[in-house]
Amino acid sequence: MRADVQDAVNRVDQQRLWRRLTEMAGIGAIPGGGVNRAAFSKEDIAARKLLVSWARARNFTVAVDAIGNLFIRRAGTDPRAAPVMTGSHMDSQPRGGRFDGIYGVLAGLEAIEAIEQAGVKTRRPLELVAWSNEEGGRFAPCTMGSAVYTGARRLTEFLEVTDNDGVALEDALARTLAALPAAEQRALKAPAAAYIEAHIEQGPLLEREGRTIGVVTGIQGLRWFNVEIFGETAHAGTTPLAARKDALREAIAAIGALHELTRDASDTLRFTIGRVLVTPNSPNSVPSHVMFSVDVRHPVAATIARLGEAIEPAVRKAVTHCSVKVTPTLRDDPCAFDPAVVDCVERAAQSLKLAHRRMPSGASHDAMYLARVCPTGMIFVPCERGISHNEAENARPGDLAAGARVLTAALLELAGQNRDS
Ligand code: HGY
Ligand code: MN
Ligand code: MN
């Protein structure tokens, strides 16, 4: 490894990274050691302000785009060159962990800061991005910020999406943008030369095999839907069952049919109904409306495509006394990362003598969308027993720092040191 790259890698500070992760974990902290930091919430705003304060302390510049993606830039020698990007997300699940997303943001800051401290000049600018609303827990669907940034989705599609309290995304986003310290405006679809995201694995493989680094090869495909069942509310005591249009009873039948549809002896397919909203939600009124979410995933393109097409027919067949509306909200085919970036990550892990392996990602990430517009890759580090989207999510400081060191070396290779290009 070149001396200047080694110098930057050596300046990755495990204590500084752990200290920042701990400080961020205090924003939206919940019992059990987790966080609840919903997109565009006051906790999200607080996390954005804290990140910007660390960036400004290093004289990095700060920009924001129309959906609130936050760009922190370290200048390169060629200001016109498209940046090499890294990043992840700061929003969390309602009962999220202290590492999902935020680790990739802070590992990216750590890498860029170590490069700055080493004084390594790069031709391309380096940019850290905190993507808006990756989780989709408050405003569905997930990976909204990166989807809009890359042009895969239009911001106008999402402005009227509401959370469980009826707050529109447009209003929450406006408050978030207004609260941000003065940041320059960044156009959507701004060019990127490459993107690498560091993330906890959110699975048990690395820990089970005693490896420190996952060289991620791609992400499985996924489809999200909102299914609505429309019935009639009625008196629980006087209305005969035969005369009811019971939206919840029919939703349960539809959910049973979907579980049949997604039965998989190999346990490769992933099927989740995570949200069910019932109206009027009263013990003695027959439910008149149910909305439930569908999240289905599979690594094989033809399989996830077939499943995506089968959801609505299966629901309609199961529902007999109510009307149905099925709204697709996310359609992501499996993505394979750029071989050159995968190789670059693998070389960095090898040169740092870290036990590593190539592996796919079961979880989706913003890298899913960046892969459509620039050479993209990911770096995984182990998390305890593979637990994630749970307060008990945990990771070891040494593994987190190792991931940041691999990221530092890989970014420098992709950004091109001055002498190389
Ligand atoms: O749902 C996912 O895979 C990601 O954690 N948002
Ligand atoms: Mn994540
Ligand atoms: Mn997540």
Side-chain angles (χ1 to χ4, degrees):
M1 185 179 279
R2 327 167 70 97
D4 56 350
V5 176
Q6 187 65 62
D7 181 19
V9 164
N10 293 344
R11 290 174 187 268
V12 167
D13 181 336
Q14 178 175 316
Q15 280 65 40
R16 176 171 61 190
L17 176 57
W18 187 257
R19 199 173 50 245
R20 286 176 171 162
L21 280 163
T22 306
E23 193 167 347
M24 278 287 186
I27 300 177
I30 54 174
V35 293
N36 178 10
R37 206 163 44 225
F40 308 129
S41 63
K42 61 181 178 4
E43 295 79 12
D44 187 8
I45 289 170
R48 288 161 180 265
K49 286 183 172 177
L50 182 56
L51 180 69
V52 167
S53 71
W54 288 329
R56 288 246 156 87
R58 277 285 170 200
N59 295 319
F60 296 147
T61 54
V62 178
V64 68
D65 69 11
I67 193 168
N69 295 317
L70 203 48
F71 301 84
I72 288 165
R73 172 174 283 211
R74 178 187 187 251
T77 55
D78 178 356
R80 289 180 317 285
V84 166
M85 288 183 170
T86 184
S88 193
H89 59 96
M90 300 201 285
D91 65 305
S92 80
Q93 287 289 317
R95 288 180 51 190
R98 289 177 295 143
F99 302 97
D100 178 1
I102 191 67
Y103 164 63
V105 173
L106 295 182
L109 179 62
E110 188 57 39
I112 295 177
E113 201 156 353
I115 292 165
E116 177 72 5
Q117 286 174 296
V120 181
K121 291 200 178 317
T122 57
R123 182 173 76 80
R124 293 186 178 283
L126 291 173
E127 270 195 355
L128 164 65
V129 191
W131 300 106
S132 292
N133 192 24
E134 189 279 344
E135 292 290 4
R138 180 185 182 195
F139 297 109
C142 63
T143 50
M144 222 186 242
S146 49
V148 169
Y149 164 81
T150 56
R153 304 293 290 267
R154 291 185 318 283
L155 176 56
T156 48
E157 291 180 59
F158 300 129
L159 292 177
E160 290 171 16
V161 171
T162 56
D163 65 10
N164 287 347
D165 300 324
V167 175
L169 182 141
E170 184 170 23
D171 299 334
L173 172 58
R175 276 195 292 275
T176 302
L177 294 173
L180 267 179
E184 67 186 63
Q185 280 307 308
R186 172 68 60 89
L188 292 176
K189 294 190 255 184
Y195 176 76
I196 300 188
E197 179 167 353
H199 206 288
I200 54 169
E201 178 195 342
Q202 297 177 300
L205 222 49
L206 291 174
E207 182 185 59
R208 188 186 302 157
E209 295 182 358
R211 298 175 201 264
T212 310
I213 300 294
V215 180
V216 189
T217 52
I219 301 177
Q220 69 176 336
L222 62 160
R223 298 285 189 275
W224 278 22
F225 300 85
N226 284 334
V227 177
E228 292 184 87
I229 313 290
F230 300 87
E232 261 174 37
T233 189
H235 196 296
T238 57
T239 317
L241 294 186
R244 294 184 179 192
K245 293 185 176 180
D246 183 335
L248 184 54
R249 183 174 185 167
E250 304 247 87
I252 291 166
I255 290 169
L258 292 177
H259 275 291
E260 274 312 303
L261 173 75
T262 56
R263 195 181 293 279
D264 174 11
S266 72
D267 199 3
T268 306
L269 186 154
R270 298 286 179 266
F271 173 72
T272 311
I273 293 179
R275 171 176 286 155
V276 180
L277 302 175
V278 180
T279 306
N281 209 22
S282 163
N284 47 359
S285 287
V286 174
S288 58
H289 177 262
V290 170
M291 189 295 281
F292 64 85
S293 61
V294 172
D295 174 334
V296 61
R297 310 191 192 199
H298 199 280
V300 175
T303 306
I304 190 66
R306 176 179 57 77
L307 283 165
E309 295 306 316
I311 298 291
E312 180 161 1
V315 170
R316 290 196 177 282
K317 190 166 169 233
V319 173
T320 51
H321 293 70
C322 294
S323 60
V324 171
K325 184 183 176 194
V326 178
T327 310
T329 56
L330 195 69
R331 178 194 170 84
D332 289 341
D333 290 332
C335 89
F337 289 145
D338 181 283
V341 179
V342 175
D343 291 348
C344 169
V345 170
E346 190 167 58
R347 272 196 303 280
Q350 281 161 345
S351 60
L352 290 172
K353 298 182 179 37
L354 294 165
H356 60 279
R357 60 160 291 161
R358 291 188 174 215
M359 59 191 293
S361 175
S364 187
H365 303 278
D366 293 302
M368 166 74 90
Y369 284 97
L370 273 292
R372 299 183 190 184
V373 297
C374 69
T376 292
M378 287 189 76
I379 301 165
F380 275 170
V381 294
C383 61
E384 197 174 306
R385 289 183 291 133
I387 293 172
S388 187
H389 285 199
N390 179 304
E391 304 89 334
E393 182 183 275
N394 196 16
R396 291 185 306 205
D399 293 339
L400 299 168
R405 292 192 182 97
V406 171
L407 180 62
T408 302
L411 288 176
L412 282 175
E413 179 175 331
L414 294 170
Q417 289 81 41
N418 239 356
R419 278 169 290 197
D420 285 354
S421 52

